[in-house]
Amino acid sequence: MWTCPNCGREFKRTNQDHYCGKAPASIDEYILKQEIAIQPALISLRNAIHDAIPEAEETIAWSMPTWKKKGYIIHFSVSKNHIGVHVGEEAVTHFNERLKGIEIYKGNLRLKLNQEIPLSLISDIAKWCFTMDQIS
């Protein structure tokens, strides 16, 4: 076990990447904690997801902006080199043809910080994930 010297949390892996600070209380707070240059993209991403699935609850889960209804539907997070949109393996498989040119890792879309966010695609994925959440 490794203990982070900054926050005191314990992890299985030494120097595991994690968020040390207090989790944001809202999506607005999450966005405001990010670099100013990336905030407009995050606001656009949030609006696209909200407009696609207005019935879903906006919340913070695992320190990330999250939308849920019966279960968790979609999340996003900012990393050093990309914005991660966490949609799950099933969504990645379903939208495989439309995801050409987007880096994918374990059910997550990795959008480079200098890349335009494909808002229409994200909206379609959010709607699909919402529908799947309601079926299960």
Side-chain angles (χ1 to χ4, degrees):
M1 296 294 278
W2 172 73
T3 302
C4 173
N6 297 324
C7 67
R9 289 175 52 199
E10 289 188 350
F11 299 94
K12 291 180 183 178
R13 296 185 317 221
T14 301
N15 293 323
Q16 180 171 330
D17 189 30
H18 66 284
Y19 180 74
C20 279
K22 180 182 175 231
S26 68
I27 295 176
D28 288 331
E29 185 179 330
Y30 181 92
I31 291 172
L32 289 173
K33 285 186 173 186
Q34 307 307 316
E35 293 183 25
I36 291 174
I38 195 150
Q39 289 179 14
L42 298 177
I43 291 167
S44 294
L45 178 58
R46 177 197 192 173
N47 290 340
I49 294 170
H50 174 79
D51 291 348
I53 52 174
E55 308 91 345
E57 175 188 352
E58 291 186 346
T59 188
I60 295 290
W62 301 287
S63 299
M64 296 184 292
T66 300
W67 284 259
K68 67 180 188 174
K69 187 72 173 180
K70 286 174 59 178
Y72 295 112
I73 299 165
I74 190 169
H75 320 263
F76 71 78
S77 62
V78 176
S79 296
K80 182 177 180 180
N81 298 314
H82 67 272
I83 297 170
V85 182
H86 312 283
V87 298
E89 293 285 349
E90 290 177 354
V92 168
T93 300
H94 184 80
F95 287 91
N96 186 48
E97 288 299 314
R98 293 181 61 192
L99 294 172
K100 302 290 186 213
I102 296 176
E103 182 182 351
I104 298 174
Y105 180 76
K106 295 185 178 182
N108 302 307
L109 314 180
R110 289 184 170 178
L111 308 173
K112 292 179 177 59
L113 296 180
N114 61 354
Q115 174 182 2
E116 185 174 329
I117 297 175
L119 296 174
S120 177
L121 174 59
I122 299 299
S123 292
D124 291 346
I125 292 172
K127 289 175 191 173
W128 185 85
C129 291
F130 182 82
T131 301
M132 293 297 103
D133 177 68
Q134 299 311 294
I135 292 171
S136 60

